[in-house]
Each structure stands twice: as structure tokens, then as C-alpha cells.
Amino acid sequence: MRRAAHLTVTTTALAMALSLSACGGSSGTPAAAAVTGADAVNRCAAGDLTASLGPVSTLEGDQRERQIVLTNRSSRRCAVSGYPGVQLVADAGSSWDLERSPLVNPSRIVLAPGSAAHAALRYLPAEPGVPGAFEATRILVTPPDTTTTTTLTWDDGPLLDQSGATHPGTYVLALTAG
């Protein structure tokens, strides 16, 4: 019994070693070393990133979308994952923290210098001055795993205020590459 258990452990270890060497990159480096190299990329610090808003696009119905773009401005590779913090702010000082939608699964994105990741901000527009309109003038963006916020101008008019809704039509998706 003891010999059979030893043989099973040895066989399993040999199979794992062979599969790792078979999965190596084109340089012949074992997969374990390649994974270690990828894991060695540090997360992006707030100072490594610039935030900007992409153009407006119209989705089904009245819903609109803008990309929140995080660009690596550093001279080294860094990684982001998850959701940016997004808060809309009105001139009167009221604010609205946007919900995070599970429609996109978060993944780790390695950004080379100058490359970007984006998170879609989906929202419902409203007519100016009507009841239920949130008159946003600024948007605060906080990169994942940081506490430093960038203030951008919100120039797409008021949004339908659904800050208390169970399933709001205004939300942010997880970051994706590009």
C-alpha cells in the first residue's frame, strides 16, 4: 500500500513536470517561469495612469455609453483589474456613486507604457430641469486599488437619477483591454 501511494505521487509529479515543460513559450522557457514573469508586473499606481472620457455612443432605447479610459503614462508595464470608482457630481455639491455591474467579469490587464484599458459607463440621459434629473457637471474617477481621484468634466448633460434604484440604468462595467 505504501509503495503504491509513493508510485502514484511520483507519477503525478512527473506528469506535472512534463506538462509544464510542454506548455513553455516560444523561447523554450517553462510555463512556470513565464507565469512568474507575468506575475512580476506590479499593479498600476494612481500616478502611473491618466483618466479620460471617450465619445458618447447610443445603445438600445435611450441608454448611452461612454468609455472611461485609463492610460499607462509611466515608463514601465503595470497591471489593472476590476472596476474604477466612478462618482458623478453636480454644481450644487450633491454626488452619486455609480453601481458596478457584473455584466463583464473583471480580469487582470497588463498595460505597456502608453497603452490603455477602458470601462464602459452606461447611463440614461434626462432633460434639463425635469424632476428626477441629476445635473452632473463633473465625474470623479478613481483607478482600481487606489484612493487618488481624477476630476473630469461631465459634458453630456443631465442623467436620470436612479441612485436609489435596485437595478439602475446607470452603472459602470469592469475594465477591459484597449
Side-chain angles (χ1 to χ4, degrees), residues 46-119:
D48 295 334
L49 302 168
T50 58
S52 61
L53 289 174
V56 177
S57 59
T58 302
L59 304 175
E60 286 185 38
D62 292 335
Q63 195 173 40
R64 295 185 185 162
E65 181 176 279
R66 286 189 91 166
Q67 301 300 320
I68 298 170
V69 182
L70 299 178
T71 304
N72 180 1
R73 68 177 178 187
S74 76
S75 60
R76 63 177 180 81
R77 294 183 325 144
C78 64
V80 293
S81 65
Y83 300 83
V86 179
Q87 183 180 60
L88 295 166
V89 181
D91 272 343
S94 59
S95 63
W96 177 7
D97 291 319
L98 297 189
E99 294 291 322
R100 296 173 176 181
S101 170
L103 292 174
V104 173
N105 289 325
S107 63
R108 187 171 190 265
I109 304 162
V110 176
L111 299 175
S115 66
H118 69 276

Side-chain angles (χ1 to χ4, degrees), residues 134-146:
F134 186 86
E135 305 277 347
T137 57
R138 296 180 311 252
I139 182 170
L140 307 180
V141 177
T142 307
D145 301 319
T146 71

